[in-house]
Amino acid sequence: MLTLPRAVYEDLVAQALDEAPLECCGLLAGDPETGEVARYFRCSNSAASARVYTVDARDQLRATRSAEDDGLEVIGVLHSHTHTPPYPSQTDIDAAPDPTWHYAIISLADAEPSLRSFRIDNAVVVEERVIVRPA
Amino acid sequence: MGIFLTRFLIFRSVPVPVSIRLPTVLRPHAAGQSVVDASAGTVGEIVAELVGRFPGMKGNLLTDSGELQRFVNIYVNEEDIRYLDKAATVVADGAELTILPAVAGGLA
């Protein structure tokens, strides 16, 4: 299960809309035991593409350090699908680096943004529940 | 003064290990440790030392031909080694080397 504060949800939706038609990405920091997200770090998509994303390596280090300074861990990644449903592509599955992470996707394919999250372990994709906590 | 100078020189001559910060995905291969030490050297030498001590990491860090995997980010202190000398980057005594998985995906 992935739990997000409302402010984090609003920030990642805003980022996805701001950066469309390019895919956006960022890192989720929180508690690895509970899947509770405390902070979201917007990262640059160094691929600068509408079809693929690569979390900028320097942004990733800054986010990781900043999370650790707050007693948090990076527990997952968010990226946007601008024209397709929020389900991991084969590239997402093949590139998933850590089976303990949460792989969240925000889709802008419909009028309302749609957020889903997945666990990916050895190319097996399992959707998990997403809860957005009220402000 | 002579004693203090001698102690200072002895202190200076003791090598300070490089600290290697491991990502969660590699920690099971290092008995759960998040930070391990290594001797100073180039990034390539340090990774080779790491793989020698923790062979389970080999596939994560090196290709079959012994090159660094491209889907791994390695930083010396705060800098990505892609902007330095890649595997030939020199890591001095006491420096910090951080390994993170590269994070990418998409439709292509």
Side-chain angles (χ1 to χ4, degrees), chain B residues 3 28 36 41 43 47 57 68-69 82 84 93 96 98 101 104 107-108:
Chain B
I3 291 170
V36 296
V43 169
V47 170
M57 294 183 186
L68 292 176
Q69 290 281 15
R82 294 184 187 92
L84 299 171
D93 278 356
E96 189 172 70
T98 302
L107 291 172

Side-chain angles (χ1 to χ4, degrees), chain A residues 19-99:
Chain A
E19 297 187 20
L22 302 183
E23 285 198 8
C24 78
C25 57
L27 294 167
L28 303 162
D31 182 343
E33 300 299 322
T34 63
E36 185 100 25
V37 174
R39 293 185 67 188
Y40 175 65
F41 295 92
R42 292 187 182 201
C43 296
S44 298
N45 174 3
S46 59
S49 161
R51 295 182 60 80
V52 295
Y53 77 95
T54 300
V55 173
D56 178 84
R58 287 165 160 165
D59 287 353
Q60 187 182 354
L61 182 66
R62 274 192 287 271
T64 303
R65 290 273 190 277
S66 186
E68 288 170 354
D69 288 347
D70 287 353
L72 307 170
E73 271 189 36
V74 172
I75 61 170
V77 59
L78 173 284
H79 77 281
S80 63
H81 282 184
T82 54
H83 297 94
T84 56
Y87 191 83
S89 67
Q90 193 59 48
T91 312
D92 295 332
I93 295 165
D94 294 343
D98 190 330

Side-chain angles (χ1 to χ4, degrees), chain B residues 9-105:
Chain B
L9 290 173
I10 288 170
F11 176 74
R12 284 284 302 251
S13 67
V14 175
V16 181
V18 172
S19 296
I20 305 174
R21 296 169 73 138
L22 300 173
T24 53
V25 73
L26 291 186
R27 292 175 196 169
H29 300 301
Q33 297 174 93
S34 58
V35 179
V36 296
D37 288 344
S39 309
T42 66
V43 169
E45 289 165 351
I46 290 171
V47 170
E49 182 186 330
L50 199 59
V51 166
R53 281 162 58 199
F54 307 111
M57 294 183 186
K58 187 172 182 184
N60 295 87
L61 297 177
L62 298 173
T63 64
D64 291 343
S65 59
E67 305 290 314
L68 292 176
Q69 290 281 15
R70 66 185 173 83
F71 51 80
V72 171
N73 295 334
I74 298 180
Y75 310 84
V76 174
N77 295 324
E78 304 299 316
E79 189 58 274
D80 182 347
I81 62 164
R82 294 184 187 92
Y83 299 98
L84 299 171
D85 288 327
K86 302 184 176 66
T89 302
V90 173
V91 188
D93 278 356
E96 189 172 70
L97 187 144
T98 302
I99 302 173
L100 292 176
V103 186

